[in-house]
Amino acid sequence: MKATSLILVFLTMMTSGFGQTAAQRFGAVRESMQGREYTKAVDELKAIEDQYPSSFRSNDLDYLAARLSQRNGNTGEAAAYFQKVRSRNSIVREYATWHLSTIAREGGNLVGERILLLDLLADRPGSLLADAAQKRLAESYFVSKDFDSAIRSLENFAGSGQRPRELEPLYAKSLLFKNEKEAARQKFESIVSTSANPAQPDDFALEAVKAIDLIEVGSERFGKEVARLSDYEHLKRASIYQFNRDFSDARLHFLAIVNNHSASGLEPDALYQIGRGYTQISDFVDAVKWYERVGEQHPEHPVNKDALLQLASAYSRLGRHREAVARYELYIRNYPNDEKLDRAYLNIVDVLRDAGEATEAANRADRAAEVFKGKAAEGQAIFTKARIRIAQTEWIEALADLDRLLTLKDLGGAGIPGGTTRTEVTFLRGLVLEELRRYSEAIDVYLDIPDGRNEYYGWRASVRLRAMTNIPEAKLFTDGKILSRTSSTVQSLEDRKKILHDTIRLISDDNLRAKALEELKTVYAQLPAYQLPSLPKLPDIGRQELRIAAASADRSNKALGEELAFLGLFDEAAPEYEAAMRGLSVEGKKLSADVEFTIASMYLKGDRADRVATFIEPLVRSLPTDFQVELLPRDLTAMLYPIPYREALLKHAPGRGVDPRLLLSIMRQESRFRPNVKSIAAARGLMQFIPDTSNKIAGELGRERFDQNELYYPPTAILFGSQYVANLFKLFPNLPDAIAASYNGGEDNMKRWLGRSKSDYAGRYVPEIGFAQSKDYVWRVMANYRMYQLLYDENLNRK
């Protein structure tokens, strides 16, 4: 009876203002968190702690205060709050323990870290944190030089009983430092031999092969020489180094083949790969020497074909244009039926352009077009000649070449070097007509290029159309086109859609454009192909209000996920909720779309945009390419163009003069927001840095002990991306398309492409991009950038 009376008194207090005030304050906390005002949120939480201590504890607000204090850089305050959570049987106790162990480690208290990790594993052996805790425990023992304990920890690894591959090098190194060299060596060799894809050896294979070399030659000679091995063993190790862009160590093994196995059939490939290593770091002087050696010593070997092409390219990069042309001509004579013959012909044209010999370059382009008549290379040659004419402002001749291109069936497309598309050719044709002041024709050409969220040249065409409304002579024609379309009485929905698309692109008045968009919206509603995918309704996860008593003893993934979601800590809530949902699903049966959508949305709120991209992109793939971007729903575009890692972007980008929206556009293309991805070119993390570039940036940032694996940590990747893009802007001021091309194809190449165009207008220099992958990359990144600029301001707030 007494207990019942106390509850009634408490409920009376809640309804009379006590609970309401606490709820209001917690509402202010949530509002501050949404605005990323974490200091203000902590102050509100402290007020709740002072006035309503019981509610503060029973709702795990001390854990929220700890996490937010951590974000504010107040480690001492965070630790105090985490310790309060640990001192009671809170549902989030395991997470508090985990964060305290991190604080201990960062403070150099490795003994304290291990005590906390062991407590976590004993308290919650089934926790989602268990594997990470076991890994950290082993690392802590290793750093403390307690190698026996490190080995025991790894042998007792939690979970399935199968150690993750990423921990195998640590196990092998622990054996090595125990002076069990043979056992360590066997383990390292096992790591090398069990790589999932031997053609693309991973970070762990690289770490293992380095360790084997170290064991064989000792620390004093490591990096200077390698042990005498069979030619095939040298090749295997060299290939691992070369793939991971460790060219200096790869060179040692290739040189061992050359010096110790000169009669081996692998020597020509070793010579060639040494040259390739130098090319990859832009040391063309040394690259030339090795490519020349291939031709001198092994003129009949198949690899000499590739060496000759690379040699010609290296001479070109050194500005030795006549030597470059001579090597390409030698290739043409020696390999008249080779599949790469077209590259030799077309590369001669590019070399002559770089040498400033436009007339001879145009003649060579004509010759190539004749030699490859009826093949893709014919189109490439004519396209090159058209670009020469545009660079020389020979508009009539350029128009003739572009018209000729549009009669060909095969233009190469975006998949081959120097190739083009009908859309690109059509856009250039519009530019040339503009230069000839044939405005009416130019407008029609631009309108024929569909515009949409992924349409680079459609966007460029729309920008040109708007610009023409500011040219008095051209405005007569744009006004006429608008009038002819708005006065049309066509009944067909398809025709009406086309008229509205055109009108929206031609109108410069914002009010008239808004009216046209509203009308287009009604037309879309009647066209089946333009029906938008319906997103599932996002349910509320768990409770929404403050509780009046401590949580139950339920510590399931579902309960934990709901509690963390209530606190707004979705980085931790999402994995718990996903584990719960997948645990409840019938084996072999997919989760429902509603549940998948909920999980993806939670990950997005926790800065894991890669998960939402996986969910949303298949839903919009069927939308027509010309779907008007302004009519895409807000919730859809928020998922298609998310803003993960906002704090890191705003911390590192603006201060370096970099638009964070451009970084997001690059990130979206490079990694699809996956923080742990590694490419076949050994590029790592969100921003996909290769070792050569990241080492250079690390030096600029004063990070002396930089490790490539740090790029898998998003704030580090964003810092490096901001610094690198800032450097590129110094080379190419106010040229974001050139920045994107440089990011993918290299700044030296971009300088050549820009020089050939003789223009700083993207519509003229982007067609000059010679690498198929780089051109396609620019189209995609800049289409992303257009959308991010449309949707968000420079501070990443939604417009």
Side-chain angles (χ1 to χ4, degrees):
M1 187 73 178
K2 185 176 180 182
T4 303
S5 299
L6 286 172
I7 291 173
L8 288 172
V9 170
F10 185 79
L11 290 173
T12 302
M13 292 172 67
M14 291 281 284
T15 55
S16 65
F18 179 87
Q20 181 182 5
T21 305
Q24 288 175 341
R25 284 203 175 278
F26 187 60
V29 170
R30 283 181 162 170
E31 187 176 327
S32 297
M33 287 174 66
Q34 288 174 357
R36 315 279 173 158
E37 299 177 279
Y38 299 123
T39 300
K40 186 177 178 181
V42 171
D43 289 342
E44 290 288 351
L45 285 167
K46 287 178 179 178
I48 297 174
E49 181 182 22
D50 290 341
Q51 297 175 36
Y52 319 106
S54 177
S55 181
F56 185 78
R57 290 190 300 274
S58 64
N59 286 282
D60 292 307
L61 299 188
D62 42 5
Y63 181 70
L64 178 58
R67 287 292 312 277
L68 297 181
S69 295
Q70 241 183 342
R71 289 186 182 181
N72 289 335
N74 194 336
T75 304
E77 185 174 74
Y81 277 122
F82 283 134
Q83 192 56 52
K84 288 180 181 179
V85 176
R86 268 180 48 78
S87 66
R88 55 190 171 79
N89 192 31
S90 166
I91 188 174
V92 294
R93 185 178 187 273
E94 65 205 71
Y95 280 89
T97 303
W98 170 260
H99 288 294
L100 274 173
S101 74
T102 301
I103 291 171
R105 181 174 196 164
E106 290 173 349
N109 183 4
L110 297 183
V111 173
E113 178 197 28
R114 292 195 289 275
I115 290 171
L116 289 161
L117 291 172
L118 288 167
D119 177 73
L120 190 160
L121 290 167
D123 181 46
R124 288 282 285 156
S127 169
L128 294 186
L129 298 170
D131 282 359
Q134 193 76 47
K135 174 178 179 251
R136 283 260 298 270
L137 185 62
E139 290 170 342
S140 183
Y141 282 128
F142 182 84
V143 173
S144 299
K145 300 183 179 180
D146 184 351
F147 303 118
D148 285 319
S149 296
I151 290 170
R152 280 196 301 272
S153 181
L154 290 167
E155 288 176 343
N156 297 325
F157 194 81
S160 65
Q162 178 70 41
R163 271 194 309 274
R165 179 171 169 79
E166 64 182 290
L167 292 182
E168 292 301 278
L170 183 63
Y171 185 82
K173 284 190 289 186
S174 298
L175 291 171
L176 179 61
F177 283 105
K178 276 190 67 183
N179 209 31
E180 296 181 18
K181 290 186 178 181
E182 187 53 36
R185 181 193 177 95
Q186 290 177 8
K187 175 54 66 176
F188 283 127
E189 288 176 345
S190 172
I191 294 169
V192 172
S193 64
T194 56
S195 185
N197 184 352
Q200 298 175 13
D202 57 22
D203 294 345
F204 315 117
L206 174 65
E207 190 174 356
V209 83
K210 277 181 174 287
I212 294 170
D213 278 347
L214 176 63
I215 291 170
E216 290 173 344
V217 301
S219 57
E220 290 186 6
R221 293 156 57 202
F222 178 70
K224 300 172 185 175
E225 59 183 271
V226 292
R228 289 184 69 98
L229 307 166
S230 72
D231 51 353
Y232 280 96
E233 182 63 26
H234 280 303
L235 179 64
K236 182 174 76 173
R237 297 190 195 180
S239 298
I240 293 172
Y241 283 123
Q242 191 93 331
F243 176 81
N244 285 281
R245 303 184 72 87
D246 185 343
F247 301 115
S248 59
D249 285 321
R251 194 178 307 127
L252 290 175
H253 283 284
F254 285 130
L255 282 170
I257 295 173
V258 173
N259 296 331
N260 302 329
H261 301 279
S262 58
S264 168
L266 300 180
E267 191 202 29
D269 291 290
L271 293 170
Y272 174 70
Q273 290 298 337
I274 292 172
R276 286 292 295 150
Y278 281 121
T279 293
Q280 291 294 314
I281 59 174
S282 299
D283 183 351
F284 299 110
V285 172
D286 280 317
V288 161
K289 298 173 185 176
W290 292 94
Y291 293 139
E292 290 280 23
R293 266 186 81 173
V294 176
E296 291 166 2
Q297 296 177 214
H298 305 280
E300 303 302 321
H301 194 278
V303 80
N304 188 43
K305 288 192 301 183
D306 292 327
L308 194 50
L309 284 176
Q310 291 291 335
L311 176 61
S313 176
Y315 275 129
S316 175
R317 300 302 180 85
L318 292 170
R320 295 166 63 177
H321 300 111
R322 283 299 158 190
E323 287 102 321
V325 170
R327 295 313 186 280
Y328 283 127
E329 288 177 335
L330 178 61
Y331 185 94
I332 291 168
R333 291 195 301 274
N334 289 353
Y335 309 105
N337 299 312
D338 190 70
E339 61 182 9
K340 296 179 182 177
L341 188 67
D342 57 344
R343 296 313 315 152
Y345 275 93
L346 294 167
N347 286 348
I348 287 174
V349 180
D350 288 339
V351 171
L352 292 170
R353 292 188 72 191
D354 293 339
E357 299 178 28
T359 301
E360 187 179 349
N363 292 336
R364 291 280 193 148
D366 282 336
R367 180 181 171 190
E370 185 62 33
V371 170
F372 297 99
K373 193 170 183 63
K375 299 179 181 178
E378 179 188 9
Q380 293 170 264
I382 298 171
F383 184 50
T384 302
K385 187 180 177 185
R387 301 197 315 271
I388 293 171
R389 299 300 192 195
I390 291 171
Q392 299 299 113
T393 65
E394 297 171 355
W395 307 118
I396 297 293
E397 294 83 353
L399 185 61
D401 288 327
L402 294 167
D403 286 340
R404 182 182 169 193
L405 271 173
L406 292 175
T407 68
L408 301 179
K409 290 183 179 180
D410 190 353
L411 301 180
I416 62 174
T420 187
T421 64
R422 294 191 178 278
T423 301
E424 186 171 55
V425 173
T426 300
F427 177 79
L428 287 174
R429 191 169 179 275
L431 277 183
V432 170
L433 288 168
E434 262 198 275
E435 292 292 345
L436 291 170
R437 302 175 71 178
R438 291 161 59 175
Y439 296 119
S440 180
E441 293 173 77
I443 292 168
D444 288 338
V445 167
Y446 288 141
L447 288 174
D448 279 342
I449 304 173
D451 191 10
R453 69 182 184 93
N454 292 323
E455 301 302 309
Y456 177 79
Y457 281 114
W459 166 40
R460 287 282 170 214
S462 294
V463 172
R464 296 306 308 166
L465 288 166
R466 304 254 176 83
M468 289 169 75
T469 63
N470 296 317
I471 303 171
E473 187 180 349
K475 194 173 188 305
L476 293 171
F477 294 101
T478 57
D479 290 347
K481 303 281 184 185
I482 294 170
L483 182 61
S484 68
R485 282 157 173 76
T486 54
S487 61
S488 173
T489 58
V490 296
Q491 299 300 314
S492 162
L493 284 172
E494 281 291 338
D495 289 341
R496 191 65 194 149
K497 179 206 73 178
K498 177 69 169 68
I499 286 171
L500 287 167
H501 277 176
D502 291 351
T503 303
I504 289 166
R505 298 174 78 180
L506 289 165
I507 290 174
S508 57
D509 182 274
D510 289 341
N511 291 326
L512 293 175
R513 196 166 186 276
K515 289 179 181 179
L517 282 168
E518 280 301 313
E519 186 177 350
L520 180 61
K521 188 176 181 180
T522 63
V523 172
Y524 277 179
Q526 302 172 70
L527 291 169
Y530 288 79
Q531 299 304 300
L532 289 160
S534 57
L535 293 178
K537 186 178 184 302
L538 187 62
D540 293 329
I541 305 299
R543 63 193 176 95
Q544 302 302 304
E545 305 294 337
L546 293 172
R547 63 164 73 93
I548 61 174
S552 68
D554 183 4
R555 296 174 74 179
S556 66
N557 294 120
K558 186 173 184 292
L560 188 49
E562 289 176 349
E563 183 71 358
L564 291 164
F566 166 73
L567 296 173
L569 300 172
F570 289 96
D571 56 334
E572 294 171 342
E576 295 287 351
Y577 187 78
E578 180 180 24
M581 293 301 101
R582 299 205 185 282
L584 292 172
S585 68
V586 178
E587 187 175 351
K589 186 177 179 181
K590 290 184 178 180
L591 297 176
S592 69
D594 286 11
V595 173
E596 289 283 11
F597 177 66
T598 300
I599 293 170
S601 299
M602 290 178 73
Y603 272 109
L604 178 59
K605 291 180 180 180
D607 270 353
R608 282 293 303 277
D610 55 312
R611 295 297 300 271
V612 79
T614 302
F615 175 84
I616 198 67
E617 287 179 359
L619 296 183
V620 298
R621 203 166 286 150
S622 61
L623 281 179
T625 58
D626 64 352
F627 195 103
Q628 192 67 34
V629 294
E630 291 96 333
L631 296 183
L632 290 168
R634 183 185 180 92
D635 55 351
L636 191 69
T637 53
M639 300 183 100
L640 282 169
Y641 302 96
I643 306 289
Y645 315 114
R646 187 174 186 271
E647 287 91 348
L649 286 161
L650 293 177
K651 177 180 179 180
H652 298 305
R656 291 174 167 82
V658 175
D659 186 345
R661 296 170 297 183
L662 180 57
L663 284 187
L664 282 163
S665 303
I666 293 171
M667 193 189 302
R668 188 177 190 269
Q669 180 58 29
E670 286 284 354
S671 63
R672 269 306 189 261
F673 306 113
R674 293 171 294 168
N676 298 319
V677 69
K678 181 183 176 184
S679 77
I680 61 171
R684 293 169 171 84
L686 285 173
M687 304 300 294
Q688 288 290 277
F689 275 101
I690 57 175
D692 332 25
T693 307
S694 57
N695 287 335
K696 179 181 176 184
I697 298 300
E700 292 175 7
L701 296 171
R703 298 178 71 137
E704 296 179 2
R705 301 184 68 183
F706 170 70
D707 184 286
Q708 295 296 326
N709 291 329
E710 293 177 49
L711 292 170
Y712 297 127
Y713 178 55
T716 298
I718 289 167
L719 168 62
F720 276 53
S722 300
Q723 180 72 14
Y724 182 49
V725 171
N727 292 345
L728 293 176
F729 267 118
K730 293 173 184 175
L731 296 174
F732 309 106
N734 303 313
L735 300 179
D737 303 64
I739 302 304
S742 300
Y743 201 99
N744 181 266
E747 50 263 45
D748 289 340
N749 290 318
M750 187 61 236
K751 288 176 184 176
R752 291 189 299 126
W753 299 327
L754 192 63
R756 290 174 192 168
S757 74
K758 298 184 180 179
S759 173
D760 61 1
Y761 172 54
R764 282 180 55 178
Y765 67 71
V766 168
E768 293 285 1
I769 296 173
F771 298 164
Q773 182 192 52
S774 297
K775 184 185 283 190
D776 182 68
Y777 179 88
V778 171
W779 294 346
R780 293 173 185 271
V781 167
M782 294 311 296
N784 292 343
Y785 191 36
R786 174 204 191 178
M787 291 302 298
Y788 273 110
Q789 288 177 306
L790 179 70
L791 298 170
Y792 304 95
D793 65 20
E794 290 184 351
N795 293 315
L796 304 181
N797 296 310
R798 188 67 187 249
K799 288 184 179 178

